[in-house]
Amino acid sequence: MHMLVPVFSLTPAKVIMIYDKRQYRQSRLEYFEKAMKRRLPRLTCDYININLHHVGDIQALMESISAEENGDNIYINLTGASELMSAAGFYVGRLKNMTAVYLNRKDRSIIRVEDLSILAKAAELTLDEYLECLGARQLNNSHMMPKKEMHKSILRMADFTFSHLNEWHALQLYVAVNTSTHGNDLYIPNVCVYKDRRYNVEPLIREFVYNRFLSKNHDGSYRFTSPQAKSYMGIFGIWLELYVYLNLSRHYKDVHFGVVIDWMKQDGRETVDNEIDVVVMRHSEPVLISCKMRKPDPDDVYEIKSLAYTLGGPIGKGVIATTFPVRSTYDNPHDIGVRMEMMNVGLIEVSDFKEKDPEKVLKEAILPDPFRGHWSMQ
């Protein structure tokens, strides 16, 4: 990300990537090149291996590049560079009229180091561009995407299931078991069983009919109104995923639902372990959201933390969205809310979207209030 954003913001004709093969393989840089050329197809790229711990070698290389490429038209991207690279780059830049720049992530701008002036507004990376830098790619969504005309009905239906979780458990279990043998038409009893308890699901059925996921046949059976309706009624947790996805889509352009990431064997992980409920690209960085229509457990926290680190490194952001009131557990130092704070995993409760706009909901989830000290040893 540190490399791509300045390139996309300044749109140069050529990029020279200086690297140390002890830290980076050239194949890794080739992923960057592929991502850059996706947006800038005429871009040319060169790779130069150097000992990044030897300031003299760095300085000599920078002077050589300046002589060959005409220093007045060269930008030196110092974003994320080592201390020696930054020092040598800035020194040679001033000496040879090269322009040292860095990405100001907070203000979303490219800054000229010499006078701290703004050179350009920072470009925004897409999820596909970000993944390409890692040697990964996004496979087809694991769920059917909701049609635009269904959005309001989905949000209403999601709200209703959140307040009828046990009834939805019972109805979803019945639907999942019986749809495989009954096709699109299905007789649904008013009472269904979940964990040996009987639940009245008639209010849920009426709500599904009202929101046009089901229609009632003359013989009293029900018919799914669309392939999406059939799919969604067979998956228990889908309503929270849809609810989070649709709400965040009101503000963010690059939001993805049911994402499956193929690491193309780079980390030896199975693709099945890399499904993410919702991914939002916020300021060129992915925010990974795991949706739980129950109380999250420690395994949920570790899983999203691991995926966030794999995708975003130390600044990777993982969030759990849940129907459970996690904030009510903060007073218990052994409960899940404190564990999430300790692991720096963000939190979204479904009620947040009713109280705040989507931008604020996500911002507060990944940039929480100053540390509250819930798990400090006192």
Side-chain angles (χ1 to χ4, degrees):
M1 192 273 285
H2 292 154
M3 183 183 295
L4 257 65
V5 173
V7 171
F8 289 164
S9 305
L10 300 171
T11 62
K14 181 177 182 178
V15 170
I16 300 174
M17 290 182 266
I18 301 171
Y19 73 105
D20 190 328
K21 65 181 181 181
R22 295 171 300 178
Q23 299 177 12
Y24 278 95
R25 290 179 297 180
Q26 183 171 321
S27 60
R28 174 72 186 277
L29 299 181
E30 289 170 355
Y31 294 141
F32 283 98
E33 179 179 355
K34 187 176 180 181
M36 289 187 286
K37 288 185 174 180
R38 174 192 285 262
R39 190 180 299 198
L40 302 173
R42 296 184 178 181
L43 184 74
T44 59
C45 296
D46 283 345
Y47 309 93
I48 300 178
N49 172 49
I50 194 171
N51 182 352
L52 291 179
H53 297 289
H54 196 295
V55 68
D57 290 351
I58 298 172
Q59 182 176 329
L61 174 61
M62 300 299 290
E63 291 176 348
S64 173
I65 292 173
S66 174
E68 292 178 10
E69 303 288 343
N70 183 4
D72 290 338
N73 297 314
I74 296 178
Y75 295 108
I76 306 173
N77 177 25
L78 301 182
T79 312
S82 68
E83 293 178 356
L84 289 181
M85 186 68 196
S86 296
F90 183 62
Y91 170 76
V92 176
R94 294 192 68 180
L95 195 66
K96 301 293 183 178
N97 293 320
M98 300 160 73
T99 305
V101 302
Y102 74 94
L103 168 64
N104 185 322
R105 294 172 59 219
K106 181 179 179 182
D107 295 332
R108 308 302 307 143
S109 57
I110 307 300
I111 303 297
R112 187 198 306 267
V113 177
E114 180 74 27
D115 56 10
L116 301 182
S117 62
I118 297 176
L119 275 179
K121 180 180 178 182
E124 296 287 341
L125 300 188
T126 67
L127 177 60
D128 287 336
E129 289 167 340
Y130 190 99
L131 291 175
E132 204 151 37
C133 290
L134 303 177
R137 61 183 175 179
Q138 181 181 183
L139 300 181
N140 292 334
N141 297 66
S142 60
H143 303 308
M144 300 182 76
M145 296 300 293
K147 295 180 179 179
K148 188 173 183 179
E149 59 267 25
M150 296 175 65
H151 288 186
K152 289 184 179 179
S153 296
I154 288 171
L155 291 172
R156 284 195 301 266
M157 199 64 241
D159 264 329
F160 197 84
T161 59
F162 298 157
S163 58
H164 297 76
L165 287 177
N166 286 331
E167 291 84 356
W168 169 231
H169 259 299
L171 176 59
Q172 181 271 329
L173 183 62
Y174 180 89
V175 170
V177 169
N178 288 278
T179 49
S180 59
T181 56
H182 291 82
N184 284 328
D185 293 327
L186 184 66
Y187 285 95
I188 306 176
N190 289 335
V191 175
C192 294
V193 177
Y194 170 65
K195 289 188 175 180
D196 298 324
R197 290 192 61 181
R198 295 163 59 85
Y199 292 95
N200 178 17
V201 298
E202 187 178 7
L204 261 178
I205 296 172
R206 286 200 306 268
E207 198 70 17
F208 276 114
V209 172
Y210 173 77
N211 286 295
R212 301 189 302 279
F213 291 92
L214 291 174
S215 61
K216 194 167 186 179
N217 298 324
H218 294 299
D219 62 359
S221 65
Y222 294 91
R223 171 168 291 185
F224 299 107
T225 57
S226 68
Q228 284 89 351
K230 184 176 181 179
S231 173
Y232 298 163
M233 288 193 66
I235 305 171
F236 175 76
I238 194 75
W239 298 104
L240 182 55
E241 296 177 33
L242 286 165
Y243 189 79
V244 172
Y245 167 74
L246 291 178
N247 272 294
L248 291 176
S249 296
R250 289 161 43 203
H251 179 79
Y252 295 96
K253 293 181 180 179
D254 201 6
V255 185
H256 301 259
F257 161 65
V259 175
V260 179
I261 295 176
D262 178 11
W263 293 96
M264 297 187 286
K265 308 297 183 183
Q266 292 303 311
D267 64 353
R269 297 173 61 160
E270 295 294 333
T271 297
V272 71
D273 295 329
N274 293 309
E275 182 177 340
I276 307 166
D277 296 333
V278 179
V279 180
V280 186
M281 286 300 288
R282 180 181 183 272
H283 302 332
S284 299
E285 296 175 359
V287 180
L288 280 58
I289 304 176
S290 175
C291 298
K292 303 298 176 185
M293 286 179 64
R294 55 170 171 77
K295 181 178 180 179
D297 60 36
D299 286 344
D300 299 328
V301 179
Y302 297 136
E303 179 183 42
I304 192 64
K305 183 67 177 180
S306 173
L307 279 172
Y309 187 87
T310 301
L311 198 61
I315 62 172
K317 296 175 175 62
V319 174
I320 291 179
T322 178
T323 54
F324 183 82
V326 170
R327 295 186 184 100
S328 67
T329 71
Y330 281 157
D331 291 336
N332 182 348
H334 304 292
D335 216 322
I336 194 66
V338 174
R339 187 181 296 267
M340 289 174 66
E341 281 196 333
M342 292 173 65
M343 297 291 293
N344 196 26
V345 170
L347 170 67
I348 294 175
E349 293 183 4
V350 291
S351 60
D352 294 345
F353 287 111
K354 297 184 183 300
E355 300 166 359
K356 310 161 192 172
D357 64 74
E359 181 183 22
K360 189 172 183 180
V361 170
L362 189 63
K363 182 177 180 180
E364 290 185 356
I366 61 178
L367 300 171
D369 292 336
F371 175 61
R372 292 180 288 264
H374 293 134
W375 55 277
S376 60
M377 300 299 289
Q378 296 179 352

